[in-house]
Amino acid sequence: MSFIGGLDVWPHYIGRTPLNAWHMAMAAALCILLVACSHRESIFSLSPAFTAHSSVPASEVAGCVADRWKQGARRVHRGERGEAITLRAESLFRGAPIGLRVVRDGPQTRVEYFRRRHANPLYWAMVRDCLHPGESDGADGTPAVPQS
């Protein structure tokens, strides 16, 4: 059998098993599954769950939150783009994506907290504590939690 003779076999195999509707449906479902599983939008493409302002400089707020999140979250990443400092992480137990954008807004610092799905309120509490240091730890002589 020569090489040219071997090519004569190809037309017989190409049309032998035509794709029916079931094959086409399975191929389409596989494509949709791959796209759905691989598409990951940024946490910052969502609307913020909470927004707050502080007189603490943006870099100090971001540093404070990053230190706290490193102790209680997974995969903490810090980034800077222009005037904004961003933090991304995953909640420790559920793996819920959380994010923080810290921007200097005139004399104030604006903080936007993002979450993809319900995350433990602890992470927003960590952010709030960094916005007003000294208020939550009793440093001014008043207790952080009202006592009766």
Side-chain angles (χ1 to χ4, degrees):
M1 178 157 108
S2 69
F3 181 70
I4 300 291
L7 291 178
D8 291 330
V9 175
W10 276 105
H12 299 291
Y13 287 113
I14 291 175
R16 183 168 267 180
T17 54
L19 293 178
N20 60 23
W22 187 84
H23 287 106
M24 296 296 276
M26 290 305 294
L30 181 63
C31 290
I32 290 171
L33 180 69
L34 286 173
V35 169
C37 291
S38 64
H39 185 65
R40 301 194 69 149
E41 291 182 352
S42 170
I43 187 76
F44 300 108
S45 66
L46 304 172
S47 296
F50 301 104
T51 301
H53 287 84
S54 175
S55 59
V56 179
S59 59
E60 288 183 30
V61 171
C64 175
V65 173
D67 290 342
R68 290 173 184 242
W69 281 8
K70 284 179 185 175
Q71 296 173 9
R74 294 183 281 175
R75 299 183 182 140
V76 178
H77 298 282
R78 179 180 171 152
E80 294 187 36
R81 182 177 296 185
E83 297 291 318
I85 301 170
T86 58
L87 294 171
R88 289 180 294 119
E90 293 178 1
S91 64
L92 191 59
F93 297 110
R94 293 186 181 171
I98 54 176
L100 189 73
R101 181 183 298 135
V102 184
V103 181
R104 192 76 182 155
D105 189 14
Q108 297 279 316
T109 297
R110 186 181 74 240
V111 175
E112 299 171 333
Y113 173 74
F114 300 84
R115 63 181 184 209
R116 183 159 311 276
R117 56 183 189 266
H118 184 71
N120 190 326
L122 171 70
Y123 299 104
W124 173 240
M126 290 178 183
V127 173
R128 278 195 329 256
D129 288 346
C130 291
L131 295 177
H132 308 288
E135 287 184 17
S136 62
D137 62 1
D140 59 354
T142 59
V145 178
Q147 298 176 355
S148 52

